[in-house]
């Protein structure tokens, strides 16, 4: 009888729990966010490969690289410098050589390297950023890099600067990881310096990333420098050599640099061009003509004004979050990134000015995309924290911005 009672009790159904509407709502909200993130990433990849061979039309520099690959395959001499005088980019030329050895020449083939580099940049950013600052910042930064019009546009346009985003990620993250993981600082320092050398081979304007790397490595090796250990002498000599080299390179431009330092109009123009670099306006104007090609000057003015105001608001929110989060919790990695990026932007402004970011030259500013996006992503995650007033609105707003960026690219690039 006792066994029967036990067996009967053991098979009786447990009392059912009523679902918690608040919990279900949170689960569905998270699922909706994940689905939107995946959809945005997928569409950003599609935007990178759609009509790759004919939108935009092939530019001479793109064809030049393919011609060099064909000449070398035929055993004929090639030019080891580009028409602008830069050394031949091996990270673009060697893949082109391999592709032309396997496939028949085509316009699409010329852009495969740039397209793959743009997609690999997203993967590299996620993996490196997740190690540095965790998955939330990694997701936000990867999403931002995926939808920025400048990134999509130059994933479809095979100039050397098209690989700058991928090339700058290695020295940027390696330098910051040397600060975050001091037990592995030797390994990260070697990778950072090698990555910086590779980035310079991709495009010389990537040199302006070096202040971020220098600040990061000086912070990572600060204890060795204070103790004057044998390993510190190399860092001291390297920093001194770079400082002297910078002074020698900048000496012929001292008057121009001094003029820019006190020119508020030039600084305003530079700030505006930085905003338009991230909104995609300069890339659209150079590559497709933007909305002015179909909507007219009045429509272009309205859109441009709206984008400028939006970027101003976004930069202000990023700056506010960066300052507040830094005051509340001093982080050596964040300090290195903020100070290094500030010095890098100042150096670029003083040496190159606003004209270096104007349409047709916007590629010179691709080096700043990754560090600024990383700062913005860190700020966005701060806005998501429960202590902020708009924590629940931040994620939906970021998704809205992501979809809007993709829609903008379709309207001002493909549709035109």
């Amino acid at each position: 009888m006792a066994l029967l009672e036990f067996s009967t009790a053991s098979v009786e159904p447990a009392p059912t729990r009523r679902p918690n509407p608040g919990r279900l709502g949170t689960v569905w909200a998270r699922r909706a966010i994940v689905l939107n993130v995946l959809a945005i990433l997928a569409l950003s990849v599609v935007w990178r490969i759609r009509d790759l061979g004919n939108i935009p039309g092939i530019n001479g520099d793109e064809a030049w690289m393919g011609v060099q690959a064909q000449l070398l395959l035929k055993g004929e001499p090639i030019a080891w410098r580009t028409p602008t005088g830069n050394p031949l980019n091996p990270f673009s030329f060697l893949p082109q050589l391999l592709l032309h050895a396997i496939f028949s020449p085509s316009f699409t083939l010329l852009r495969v390297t740039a397209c793959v580099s743009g997609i690999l940049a997203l993967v590299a950013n996620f993996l490196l950023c997740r190690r540095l600052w965790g998955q939330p910042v990694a997701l936000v930064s990867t999403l931002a890099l995926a939808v920025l019009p400048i990134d999509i546009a130059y994933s479809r346009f095979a100039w050397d600067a098209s690989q700058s985003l991928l090339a700058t990620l290695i020295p940027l993250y390696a330098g910051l990881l040397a600060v975050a993981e001091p037990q592995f600082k030797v390994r990260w320092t070697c990778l950072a310096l090698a990555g910086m050398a590779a980035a310079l081979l991709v495009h010389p304007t990537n040199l302006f990333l070096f202040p971020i790397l220098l600040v990061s490595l000086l912070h990572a090796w600060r204890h060795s420098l204070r103790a004057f250990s044998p390993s510190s002498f190399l860092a001291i000599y390297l920093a001194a050599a770079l400082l002297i080299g910078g002074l020698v390179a900048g000496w012929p431009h001292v008057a121009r640099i001094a003029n820019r330092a006190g020119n508020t109009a030039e600084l305003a123009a530079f700030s505006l061009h930085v905003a338009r670099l991230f909104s995609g306006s300069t890339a659209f104007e150079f590559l497709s003509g933007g909305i002015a090609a179909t909507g007219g000057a009045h429509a272009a003015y309205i859109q441009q004004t709206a984008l400028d105001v939006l970027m101003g608001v976004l930069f202000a929110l990023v700056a506010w979050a960066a300052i507040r989060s830094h005051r509340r919790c001093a982080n050596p990695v964040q300090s290195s990134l903020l100070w290094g990026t500030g010095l890098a932007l100042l150096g670029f402004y003083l040496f190159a000015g606003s004209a270096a970011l104007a349409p047709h030259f916007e590629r010179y500013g691709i080096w700043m995309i990754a560090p600024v996006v990383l700062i913005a992503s860190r700020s966005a995650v701060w806005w998501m924290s429960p202590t902020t007033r708009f924590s629940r609105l931040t994620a939906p707003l970021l998704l809205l911005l992501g979809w809007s960026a993709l829609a903008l690219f379709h309207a001002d690039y493909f549709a035109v």
Side-chain angles (χ1 to χ4, degrees), residues 29-287:
R30 290 178 178 176
R31 289 179 179 177
I33 290 174
V34 170
L35 290 175
N36 272 273
V37 168
L38 294 176
I40 289 174
L41 290 174
L43 187 57
S44 72
V45 173
V46 172
W47 266 200
R48 282 166 166 81
I49 61 178
R50 172 188 167 183
D51 297 321
L52 192 62
N54 64 305
I55 300 179
I58 295 298
N59 184 277
D61 289 352
E62 299 178 284
W64 181 88
M65 187 68 75
V67 168
Q68 302 309 306
Q70 287 185 307
L71 289 175
L72 188 59
L73 291 172
K74 294 177 182 178
E76 299 180 17
I78 66 170
W80 293 101
R81 287 187 174 274
T82 65
T84 56
N86 296 330
L88 189 65
N89 176 11
F91 304 103
S92 178
F93 178 68
L94 293 178
Q96 283 295 309
L97 190 65
L98 178 62
L99 289 170
H100 281 83
I102 300 174
F103 303 102
S104 300
S106 68
F107 289 161
T108 301
L109 204 64
L110 297 175
R111 291 175 170 165
V112 167
T113 304
C115 183
V116 171
S117 297
I119 296 173
L120 286 178
L122 305 181
V123 178
N125 178 80
F126 179 79
L127 296 176
L128 292 169
C129 190
R130 183 175 61 178
R131 176 158 186 161
L132 179 67
W133 269 333
Q135 187 157 312
V137 182
L139 283 173
V140 174
S141 61
T142 303
L143 195 67
L145 293 178
V147 302
L148 280 178
I150 183 73
D151 291 342
I152 303 177
Y154 275 87
S155 292
R156 308 174 48 85
F157 197 60
W159 283 10
D160 285 341
S162 298
Q163 293 182 304
S164 285
L165 178 61
L166 177 60
T168 54
L169 288 174
I170 306 302
L172 172 65
Y173 279 110
L176 295 174
L177 283 166
V179 181
E181 301 178 359
Q183 67 274 25
F184 302 123
K185 65 181 178 181
V186 175
R187 180 179 68 182
W188 289 122
T189 298
C190 293
L191 181 60
L193 294 175
M196 192 70 234
L200 290 176
L201 284 175
V202 169
H203 202 272
T205 54
N206 294 330
L207 176 65
F208 288 99
L209 187 75
F210 190 79
I212 306 174
L213 180 60
L214 183 61
V215 171
S216 300
L217 295 184
L218 287 176
H219 194 95
W221 290 89
R222 65 191 184 280
H223 297 301
S224 298
L225 293 172
R226 289 172 183 170
F228 286 99
S229 62
S231 60
S232 68
F233 286 102
L234 179 60
I236 293 173
Y237 290 147
L238 179 61
L242 291 170
L243 179 61
I244 295 172
L247 292 174
V248 171
W251 184 256
H253 309 284
V254 168
R256 189 181 305 171
I257 292 173
N259 181 59
R260 288 198 183 106
N263 192 333
T264 54
E266 176 73 5
L267 181 60
F270 178 79
S271 303
L272 185 63
H273 280 151
V274 169
R276 292 180 177 181
L277 175 74
F278 284 87
S279 70
S281 299
T282 49
F284 292 144
E285 186 174 340
F286 170 50
L287 293 171

Side-chain angles (χ1 to χ4, degrees), residues 19-29:
N20 186 340
R23 180 179 178 85
L24 287 177
T26 303
V27 171
W28 281 108

Side-chain angles (χ1 to χ4, degrees), residues 2-16:
L3 180 62
L4 180 61
E5 291 177 358
F6 175 79
S7 62
T8 305
S10 63
V11 297
E12 287 180 358
T16 58

